Amino acid sequence: MTTDVCDLAAAAMKAVKDNNVPEAIAALDRLVAEDASSVLWPTLRARLMLDKGAGEPRQALADAERALSLQPGNAEALLLQARALKAIDPASSGVVSACAQLASMSLTAKQREELEQLRQERATVQPVQYYVPTRSDNCQVICEQAAAACSAWKEGNKSHAQELLLKLQNDDCSSSLWPLLLARVHLAEQTPSEAIAVCSKALTTGAYRRADLLLARGMARLQAASSSSAEDAKADISQARDLGGFAASTAQDLSGCMSKLGIECRKGGEPGKAKTSASSATPAKASAPAAASKSSPSSSSSKPASASAATKPSSTSSSSTAPSTGANAGAIAAVLKARQAEDKGLFREARMHCAEALKLSPDLPQAVLCLARMELANGETSAVTKLIRKSHPSVLRRGPGRLEALSLVAAAAEEAGDWDTAQEELEELAPLAQSKTEEPPTKAGWAPQPKLSDILGRLAKARWSNGDRSNGTNLAQQILNAEQIQIQACEVACTVLIERGDMATALALMVKALIAHRNEPAEKCANLVCSVMRQCSVEELTHVLAPKQEDLAGDQANSIAEVVGYVGLIMKERGEIMEASRCYRKSVLLAPDNGSLCLNLMHTFALRRDDLRAIAWGERYFDRLAGKIPGARLISRTLRGDADVSTDAAPWKMQDFSGKPAFHDAIAMGFVLLKLLFLAHAHAKLLDQHGSESGSQEISWQAKLKAMDVEKETVSSSVSSLMEPGWHKAGEIASGNVPSGHACDAHQRVLLRLTVLLEKCRQGHDLHLTTVRNENAYFGCIREILQSTTPAAPPRGVQSLSPIYVVGDSHVLPCAWQTVDLRKAEDESSTCHVLIPNIVTGAKVWHLREKSKFYTKAAFWDKISSLPPGAPVILILGEIDCREGILRAVQKGKHNGVEAALQAVVDTYLALLQQVRKKLPSSEIFLHPVPNVLPETRSLTVSFNILLDAPATQAKLAKAKIKLLNFSGMFVGHPNGPPMMDASEYAKLELLPELKLDGTHLNPAYIASHLTPALKSAWAS
């Protein structure tokens, strides 16, 4: 095997001299595969491609980057990388970066000449003084030496071969081929001690070809023929056998050694079969120590003892493996149950199993770490530190648990923004991670251990965030040279690049990391994406993805649009609504027929009250489909108010679209259109206007829609609301500014026409089980309101209306545009109130807490900020917490029980209300109780309302001048409200027939029967 590489090197060298480029490339292809640890072959192949034009520059770039991953800072590889980048894109900013690095490196005369040429073409790098090295890094020289060594070997001139191999070992120190060949020469010369020394030194560097080196050292120890050498030889040969991966001739050497030492073959395999996992782990270990050792002066001096200890292999404690009998066996069994529950998110159950394990085996690290992981997942950072540092400090001192324990303590500090502590822990953790030899067994209850690259990336970010910018940047660069997708290293690098003004490279790095982690939760890349996109525009991002956008078409345009849309999704989830809107707008312009992107655009625009533009984008989508789908034409023309719209258009079917997801997206967009229109305008008369009503049948929003060219509309701080401006003013609204009966009737016809069509489209598709279930739920509620209820007649004698703004979750729907008469019997006022809907879709109280970054929080405060000063407000929140959040929080162990979880949400609600009061100091604020509609969660909603009405809560509400609305009984047989009963009994209570709607929301009839009396009472007080 070893002479094959030399033969290939000689063949490559001969082909280069003969200018036989194809043969040289073919030989180098084999050399790259055979000697994978050497930087020589990829750099030589890259140079040949660039000098001779043999192949694509992108292949040369890939070879240069491969060499840099093997040996970061290799001048030849860096120079070839710069040349390849220039060949691909003469304006690439990466050329400037590479030239800047090369300027401070030692270069050969030829390399210096090439760099000067690059400098002249770019005219950006300042003149520098170069140091001429004493040794040669020239690939051709190394090839010539390898060929000469091979010839000397074949001619029997072993001393000359040894001399050349020693020189090759020094000149190409990253390759383990040369020490292996040198060891073989020593074996042939009968000098086993020198062969042992060469192999031992090579093995300490974490080299490739470990199996070959172990075999050579074992053969040398056999040759030494001492009793101690025989035992050592047996260990080397056994390990070489387990690693495997030998060529046929070398496998014969292995078999001979095994026969001499009495070593059996592994079951099910030949001696030369490879164990790939063992060999593949070695390079990562080898590349990391230099990076991790660059700690800041303060951290390196403050912990000399612990840092030193971390570099030594840790001994495994007695509790780290799974004994078969006794208390420890029971403890391990309990931990395994805890791990299963942890993976399912059942943290409360997992905690009980961990408590059982710790009772049987105190300080069992697997149980301690399981508890710490769950605390970290719940955001309880101080609990993580207390658990590991104070309650169970032994996990930090010994055994395989030490690695994860330090990682968790560091993660808790990172989450809390304590970068000083985070850096301190990670400085200690990094050398420990490098000395790790194997993963602890999962069958003993251990979780997967943190990756070395992730630890180093986190350390780079911690250094940077803690002010040690130089070391943080250097470490991040070293990590990215080997693994260009490590998230924290990318964060540091992108920040540096943006500070330098190199937006393009920062965006390219962000996109590369984003694509690599596309199958992981989007939150993993959120910090990276948001930090970059706050400084870069969507146009810059698109230019990086597609420099020639005018040439994009078909699948390529759709792929680019999906990436831009995914960036928008991440921004939206973090509450960056405006930037998310810009991303989605660009993605839809790139791929106008992509329903998923258009649906997300509409949702995102609606979050910032940009409803008219959301409608316009939806209308544009259906207008593009109008030629092939009659139902789509109906939607488009209905929105624009065309008089000749057919009302009996056939519904669209799944076969009209490219697949089920596209079909669902189209229906969901129809649902969103209906929802936005339902909330934007009254669909029944608001005033008892006498006489005939004249005027246009056109609705005000239709005129705005027709006048809008949505493709030219940009995303800015200004929004285009569907609602008339008059509704955004506090105080009375004169009858002349209230929509006429004709306009309300026309709006209702639009809503009913859309409802009929969409109902036909959704029949038989079980949309409540799909990704558009939320849009389907909104549609179902609005459909019931429109088709199953009769609008209440406007109060008589009313000449003007005064708005009350209702802000909250989907329970705002039954209130929308309903009138409430709060006048007393003796009151001669001619003014009533109208409920103006302000929905925050999916709003949970928990997501509105101070620490949250979720998009519903941004949408909620946007709604509150838009309310006119002094206007009365009703808040409806908490039902989704009871339906989705409470039990899940208990399962995850965030609270000890349901009562504690309910109280935590109520406390969060009170804190939120105090902030609302600060925003609306002069407004009357009323608190709507949580609707007790769903039987499955009724015990929770009733308990929630009881807590809201508790004396302690009432005292805090009174201090904030907020009034809780007290409703009369809503259940059959309980006019004064539900009595105290078991949770299962609450589900059996029957809602009053007139209050039933869709099973989740109250019928609008409750406005007159329950809300108006409660509001009148609170208003009077």
Side-chain angles (χ1 to χ4, degrees), residues 929-975:
V930 175
N932 298 316
V933 179
L934 269 176
E936 295 84 355
T937 61
R938 192 170 290 152
S939 63
L940 296 176
T941 56
V942 169
S943 299
F944 192 94
N945 288 332
I946 290 173
L947 288 173
L948 286 180
D949 200 28
T953 307
Q954 284 295 305
K956 293 178 181 178
L957 290 175
K959 186 176 181 179
K961 297 181 180 180
I962 297 174
K963 300 169 185 176
L964 175 66
L965 299 176
N966 292 309
F967 288 0
S968 57
M970 290 187 165
F971 299 106
V972 174
H974 300 284

Side-chain angles (χ1 to χ4, degrees), residues 150-455:
C150 183
S151 299
W153 175 284
K154 290 182 175 180
E155 294 168 2
N157 190 350
K158 297 184 178 60
S159 60
H160 186 47
Q162 180 178 332
E163 178 184 345
L164 290 170
L165 288 170
L166 279 168
K167 184 170 180 55
L168 283 166
Q169 187 179 15
N170 291 328
D171 286 355
D172 187 22
C173 55
S174 66
S175 175
S176 57
L177 172 63
W178 316 125
L180 179 59
L181 289 172
L182 187 59
R184 288 283 184 167
V185 171
H186 287 308
L187 284 171
E189 290 286 288
Q190 298 290 311
T191 52
S193 60
E194 293 186 18
I196 292 170
V198 169
C199 291
S200 297
K201 182 178 179 181
L203 285 166
T204 60
T205 65
Y208 286 82
R209 300 185 181 275
R210 289 185 65 84
D212 294 294
L213 289 165
L214 285 166
L215 174 60
R217 189 170 71 176
M219 293 170 65
R221 284 171 167 166
L222 272 177
Q223 199 177 79
S226 67
S227 57
S228 60
S229 294
E231 288 299 316
D232 291 338
K234 190 170 184 179
D236 282 344
I237 299 300
S238 297
Q239 193 175 350
R241 174 206 62 183
D242 292 340
L243 290 173
F246 298 106
S249 59
T250 316
Q252 292 179 1
D253 292 338
L254 176 65
S255 297
C257 292
M258 289 170 60
S259 178
K260 290 180 183 178
L261 295 167
I263 300 173
E264 296 181 357
C265 289
R266 290 175 298 151
K267 292 182 179 180
E270 297 297 325
K273 294 292 183 182
K275 270 178 76 175
T276 57
S277 61
S279 59
S280 64
T282 308
K285 271 179 64 179
S287 64
S293 64
K294 289 192 175 184
S295 60
S296 63
S298 60
S299 61
S300 61
S301 61
S302 62
K303 285 194 166 186
S306 59
S308 175
T311 60
K312 299 178 182 179
S314 302
S315 60
T316 304
S317 66
S318 59
S319 62
S320 63
T321 56
S324 58
T325 60
N328 282 348
I332 296 299
V335 167
L336 290 172
K337 292 179 182 178
R339 287 283 296 113
Q340 292 176 351
E342 179 193 3
D343 289 341
K344 295 177 182 178
L346 303 176
F347 289 1
R348 192 181 188 195
E349 179 184 336
R351 279 179 174 173
M352 291 189 291
H353 290 307
C354 287
E356 178 187 352
L358 290 171
K359 186 176 180 180
L360 293 170
S361 180
D363 290 334
L364 183 70
Q366 297 95 309
V368 174
L369 295 172
C370 182
L371 289 170
R373 286 193 301 272
M374 292 186 290
E375 295 288 9
L376 186 63
N378 284 336
E380 301 294 337
T381 55
S382 58
V384 175
T385 305
K386 181 180 179 181
L387 183 69
I388 294 176
R389 284 285 182 198
K390 296 183 178 179
S391 301
H392 301 278
S394 60
V395 73
L396 290 166
R397 294 196 292 265
R398 64 178 185 273
R402 186 182 182 198
L403 181 69
E404 188 183 1
L406 283 168
S407 178
L408 289 169
V409 173
E414 291 168 299
E415 186 73 19
D418 183 359
W419 293 108
D420 188 42
T421 300
Q423 180 181 350
E424 188 177 347
E425 302 294 348
L426 290 165
E427 297 285 6
E428 183 176 351
L429 173 61
L432 177 65
Q434 292 158 31
S435 66
K436 182 184 69 172
T437 56
E438 59 183 15
E439 292 278 328
T442 55
K443 64 182 179 181
W446 297 100
Q449 298 295 288
K451 290 172 57 181
L452 175 60
S453 59
D454 287 337
I455 292 170

Side-chain angles (χ1 to χ4, degrees), residues 175 376 639 658 876 990:
S175 175
L376 186 63
L639 291 175
S658 59
I876 308 180
E990 184 180 354

